[in-house]
Amino acid sequence: KILYQEPKIMSETNQPSSETLLTQPVSRLFFQYFRSNLVSSLMLAVYVLFDTIFIGWGVGSQGLAALNITLPCYSLEIGFAQMMGMGGATALSICRGQGKEEEANSYFTAAVLFTCIFSLIIGILGAVFWRPIAYLGGADDSIIELVGQYLRILNGGAILFVVNNFLGIFIRNDHDPQRVMAAGIVSCLLNIVLDYVCIFLFNWGMAGAAGATAFSGFISILIMLTHFLKPDCSLKFRFPICSSSPVSSEFGRMVSQA
């Protein structure tokens, strides 16, 4: 006797698969992804909030002034990560919708390579030329050293901040928004603890706050990388990627529209 079995709405990992995206109610999918994006965005804001609170308590008003000088660099790094992530993930999703899985993974590979190389370059340049950047942001001689303590680590660790936010976009598109949300929560809580330890217990001041934020971003990346250990992970690296290929030109167009 053959019994009718209802199709599974969710996979065994409780994450939406490509098939369930077509069968699950839109409202349920919307709130599942909305919750993940909302929490991740809040955690990004909390990073800066607790840096501000602990620096205000532990370093003082000059520390807060120095922090405000550095925040535009942080915003630029996050903006670059979201531009690359959203542009590349959009191109990847279009290819998957057309059934071009190999080309989709070529977009993913191109996005990862360009993002890592470019963020490494701007991180090195930002760490070396931090003083002109600080003066451009409005710093004066009374706070320039405090700005330098934070900005050298912030710019030097640019690849961590960029990859952290960039990778989360692709992993959400690969049907694992809960992992991105968990990584954001864990790294945010860790940042709060490390801010307190580095500023008040170790007395590392601005450098301690920046180091805590960079290390928390590194832990978030490690958590999200566990996604690639899943059997149903569909994000794969595809080589070679040449500059004259349709993938490269189309990827550039998608990034410009992000």
Side-chain angles (χ1 to χ4, degrees), residues 26 34 80 105:
V26 173
F34 172 76
F80 172 72
N105 283 316

Side-chain angles (χ1 to χ4, degrees), residues 134-157:
Y135 282 125
L136 182 64
D140 57 29
D141 292 337
S142 65
I143 62 171
I144 188 65
E145 291 305 321
L146 290 175
V147 174
Q149 292 174 21
Y150 197 96
L151 196 56
R152 282 193 295 266
I153 297 176
L154 178 69
N155 288 340

